[in-house]
Amino acid sequence: FNVKDISVKDIKRGFVASDSKNDPARECNNFTAQVLILYHPNLIHAGYTPVLDCHTAHIACKFSELKAKLDMRTGKEIEENPKYLKMNETAIIVITPTKPMCVEVFSEYPPLGRFAVRDMKNTVAVGVIKAIDKKI
């Protein structure tokens, strides 16, 4: 992967190359994602701050708001604004990165719209990004 006038030393983990004229990649304030909790010994509440692995970036992100709990099979909403999440539950969550992070909606750019949530050396959850609040 070679780009004119850019050295390999200038590119760091988490950087994203994009089309600057049509759809430039931008940092996000927060994003809404559908998350499946795979393994967590305790309950997950709003305010939980694990590490998100999205493309090559590994950034701590805060679960700002638990919007809705979903039925895993049908995808329909079971509960609005749940207090907590347990193992094997799916939810719509607003996530806020603690450092600048570039992500995209899964339906438009699948590689930038998937992520894994890691904590305690385990993959706690996986998810896809549904909507983004980009910085301008």
Side-chain angles (χ1 to χ4, degrees):
F1 179 70
N2 293 321
V3 179
K4 198 169 19 175
D5 300 330
I6 294 180
S7 164
V8 174
K9 293 179 178 100
D10 295 336
I11 299 172
K12 295 182 176 71
R13 178 183 292 277
F15 277 19
V16 174
S18 70
D19 184 350
S20 62
K21 291 183 179 38
N22 296 328
D23 190 11
R26 284 201 205 105
E27 178 185 335
C28 69
N29 291 324
N30 61 40
F31 54 91
T32 305
Q34 181 176 337
V35 179
L36 168 63
I37 309 300
L38 299 173
Y39 167 77
H40 199 273
N42 302 320
L43 302 176
I44 294 175
H45 299 274
Y48 176 57
T49 310
V51 173
L52 239 75
D53 293 352
C54 186
H55 52 90
T56 60
H58 307 296
I59 296 175
C61 294
K62 180 179 176 184
F63 285 18
S64 307
E65 180 188 349
L66 306 179
K67 281 190 155 184
K69 199 181 285 187
L70 305 176
D71 185 307
M72 279 179 61
R73 289 178 183 79
T74 63
K76 291 183 181 163
E77 191 175 306
I78 300 172
E79 184 183 342
E80 200 170 305
N81 298 322
K83 295 224 184 302
Y84 60 86
L85 296 172
K86 301 183 294 200
M87 227 160 63
N88 297 322
E89 288 186 336
T90 305
I92 300 292
I93 302 173
V94 176
I95 300 172
T96 307
T98 57
K99 292 181 183 172
M101 184 176 188
C102 178
V103 292
E104 291 291 340
V105 179
F106 179 75
S107 59
E108 294 175 21
Y109 300 98
L112 294 175
R114 269 189 286 262
F115 61 88
V117 178
R118 295 186 52 84
D119 196 10
M120 305 169 296
K121 298 182 181 177
N122 289 317
T123 300
V124 173
V126 292
V128 292
I129 297 168
K130 297 287 190 183
I132 300 174
D133 175 22
K134 288 190 178 184
K135 279 192 179 172
I136 297 172

